[in-house]
Amino acid sequence: MSKNTPKAIRGTQDIFGAQAEAFAVVVETFERVRRLYRFRRAEFPAFERTEVFARSLGETTDVVSKEMYSFEDRGGESLTLRPEFTAGIARAFLTNGWQQHAPLKVATHGPLFRYERPQKGRYRQFHQIDAEIIGAAEPQADVELLAMADQLLKELGIGGVTLHLNTLGDAESREAWRAGLVDYFGKVKGDLSEDSQERLGKNPLRILDSKDPRDRAFLADAPRIDDYLSDEARGFFEAVTSGLDAAGVKWVRAESLVRGLDYYRHSAFEFIPDEGSAAAEALGAQSTVLGGGRYDGLMESLGGPATPAVGWAAGIERLAMLVGERDWNEPAVAILPESDDLETRAAGIAALLRAEGIPCWTAFRQNPKKRGIKARTDGANASLFIKRSDDPNGEFKITSASEGPEELELSRRVMAILGKDRFGL
Ligand code: ATP
Ligand code: MG
């Protein structure tokens, strides 16, 4: 690399090879599962007016106050690279008049941007899969979304991760709890961390998920949401938990789980690796893989009609780390012409096989032996040698990397397509 080659931006990644395959497995599995649950696919802009995020998430949240990539465009308008999906989806729901589709189930995935301190599992450009149900006030919507998340993790083969679930109550319960917390923490304000002293005025619920030991000392005796829940909010939570039990989704109650964003009501949840599990080891301290909740107040903060909704998002990079590095998941055959004048014939054969769904490895130069070696290092499972058609040994010869059933089946299919009698085996 020359000194004047530009460097990649801090916190961005060039994902390649086995990690990129794992990334693709996450996205493909999500696509399959969202179809099972009949979520519609949607695409949204990667940037929005800054107010979309500022008004939905709340000015006091970490995301809005510290993490947004905001800039003025050439027309003088303040725009922001999306730090999360939900606010933009809510904006789209309102500006497109999608009320007619309610309850609308949508799924999307793509890049998000947050100005964070980069570390393992935490980047400035990262990617999420996202699922939302908009226009459903029923607890069954929460249950379905959580069942979908649970099934996704199972289908990805991710174990040792558990659903941590809380309720924040309805607006009324949440307000009363908030006042209780302000009162309680206010009495010991001087002993709290500097961050939490600031949170006390702006976002007191966040004190509950502080990692600072000065704050943690007061958490055990802090007021609990359960003491503030209205009958309705309590009934809602019971409907969610009994629905999860019926759907076979394991969960644990997490009374201090509050989530960072202001718009949450009722259900708030995160899937977190179990302590000591391989998943916890793989992710280090950055442990939440999937998080979400119900955001009944969000549409109104964007000037829309009251529209109950619930959703979740999961970091693709973190899921891919749990899936583990992946290789090609389908066997491929290397196409190896014996001499330069057979290059065109080889391309024709590759086209024929690919049209039949056979993955073909090809290279564009070097003798068959060298190509064969490169093909093996690239993971090709069989080699198809192409000779001149007047060759007495036949035009084709196929060899397998091993006698495994996958390799033999691949060779058999290739032979069947090319015509068995033309093989010099
Ligand atoms: P954290 O507590 O890790 O900062 P968060 O509460 O900010 O997470 P959400 O906004 O709920 O995260 O995003 C949902 C998921 O997106 C997270 O559980 C995580 O998997 C992923 N995620 C969030 N921020 C990042 C990031 N900077 N880099 C990679 N993945 C991220
Ligand atoms: Mg964060």
Side-chain angles (χ1 to χ4, degrees):
M1 189 179 73
S2 118
K3 264 200 230 104
N4 66 10
T5 302
K7 291 193 180 61
I9 295 169
R10 192 165 129 80
T12 64
Q13 300 190 95
D14 303 307
I15 309 170
F16 174 74
Q19 278 167 356
E21 293 297 332
F23 192 104
V25 165
V26 172
V27 173
E28 283 160 17
T29 309
F30 175 65
E31 276 297 298
R32 190 157 46 75
V33 172
R34 69 101 183 153
R35 285 195 177 90
L36 275 177
Y37 285 77
R38 303 283 286 184
F39 276 62
R40 286 183 180 277
R41 175 80 215 183
E43 301 295 336
F44 301 100
F47 58 157
E48 295 277 352
R49 291 199 158 91
T50 297
E51 63 173 326
V52 169
F53 306 108
R55 284 169 60 182
S56 331
L57 278 59
E59 300 279 356
T60 63
T61 55
D62 283 356
V63 171
V64 172
S65 61
K66 301 183 202 151
E67 299 175 358
M68 293 207 302
Y69 277 96
S70 301
F71 58 97
E72 248 182 40
D73 74 359
R74 289 169 195 277
E77 189 137 39
S78 178
L79 306 181
T80 294
L81 303 183
R82 64 184 174 198
E84 57 121 51
F85 276 115
T86 309
I89 296 175
R91 191 277 307 147
F93 184 87
L94 295 173
T95 53
N96 293 301
W98 284 343
Q99 284 88 348
Q100 52 172 320
H101 298 300
L104 172 65
K105 304 205 271 185
V106 279
T108 192
H109 65 83
L112 293 307
F113 307 85
R114 293 185 192 175
Y115 194 79
E116 298 206 68
R117 198 168 67 77
Q119 49 191 296
K120 185 173 166 189
R122 188 175 295 285
Y123 313 99
R124 289 183 173 175
Q125 176 174 336
F126 62 101
H127 302 77
Q128 283 181 344
I129 48 176
D130 182 279
E132 315 274 347
I133 303 181
I134 305 176
E138 297 75 16
Q140 287 74 26
D142 307 45
V143 172
E144 178 159 296
L145 261 179
L146 286 165
M148 177 182 174
D150 189 66
Q151 181 163 1
L152 173 72
L153 294 175
K154 283 186 181 134
E155 302 227 349
L156 286 171
I158 295 174
V161 172
T162 303
L163 165 59
H164 292 235
L165 177 68
N166 197 16
T167 176
L168 305 174
D170 45 28
E172 205 181 300
S173 325
R174 189 183 148 128
E175 248 342 283
W177 184 37
R178 182 189 153 103
L181 288 169
V182 170
D183 186 48
Y184 171 81
F185 287 118
K187 292 194 179 110
V188 294
K189 184 171 178 186
D191 298 322
L192 298 176
S193 69
E194 295 73 31
D195 276 352
S196 285
Q197 295 191 20
E198 209 183 311
R199 289 180 186 124
L200 192 56
K202 294 181 179 166
N203 202 345
L205 271 58
R206 285 310 300 262
I207 300 175
L208 295 176
D209 66 4
S210 167
K211 306 280 177 291
D212 194 302
R214 287 172 289 174
D215 303 327
R216 297 200 69 84
F218 297 104
L219 298 190
D221 296 323
R224 306 176 118 86
I225 178 67
D226 286 8
D227 299 329
Y228 297 86
L229 287 179
S230 64
D231 288 345
E232 208 186 315
R234 191 181 310 278
F236 189 98
F237 189 53
E238 279 165 11
V240 172
T241 56
S242 55
L244 290 174
D245 293 340
V249 178
K250 291 211 182 66
W251 59 278
V252 295
R253 177 71 195 274
E255 273 184 303
S256 57
L257 191 160
V258 290
R259 310 264 318 133
L261 311 177
D262 274 357
Y263 53 57
Y264 287 105
R265 300 281 182 277
H266 292 294
S267 308
F269 51 81
E270 292 182 346
F271 282 77
I272 302 175
D274 305 336
E275 228 165 284
S277 67
E281 200 145 298
L283 287 184
Q286 309 310 328
S287 48
T288 300
V289 291
L290 183 153
R294 177 165 277 283
Y295 50 93
D296 291 352
L298 173 58
M299 295 288 175
E300 285 158 289
S301 67
L302 288 177
T307 310
V310 55
W312 56 250
I316 299 179
E317 287 86 352
R318 291 188 198 176
L319 289 171
M321 282 162 83
L322 297 181
V323 161
E325 298 195 342
R326 289 294 175 94
D327 212 339
W328 301 107
N329 58 2
E330 268 196 308
V333 59
I335 309 294
L336 304 171
E338 194 181 50
S339 55
D340 290 351
D341 59 319
L342 289 167
E343 216 64 68
T344 308
R345 175 73 177 139
I349 298 294
L352 176 70
L353 293 174
R354 286 170 175 153
E356 296 288 336
I358 306 268
C360 294
W361 180 97
T362 51
F364 313 105
R365 59 167 177 268
Q366 290 179 329
N367 65 44
K369 190 160 172 244
K370 281 192 178 151
R371 284 194 206 192
I373 294 166
K374 173 100 166 71
R376 288 284 146 88
T377 46
D378 283 354
N381 309 74
S383 302
L384 178 68
F385 297 94
I386 299 174
K387 304 177 181 200
R388 264 180 300 279
S389 57
D390 55 358
D391 191 308
N393 291 325
E395 188 182 4
F396 305 118
K397 180 172 187 281
I398 193 158
T399 61
S400 299
S402 80
E403 297 284 286
E406 264 201 336
E407 273 88 7
L408 294 178
E409 170 63 11
L410 175 70
S411 301
R412 195 196 59 71
R413 281 178 64 206
V414 170
M415 277 160 52
I417 292 164
L418 296 178
K420 225 175 186 162
D421 54 354
R422 303 189 66 189
F423 280 81
L425 292 172

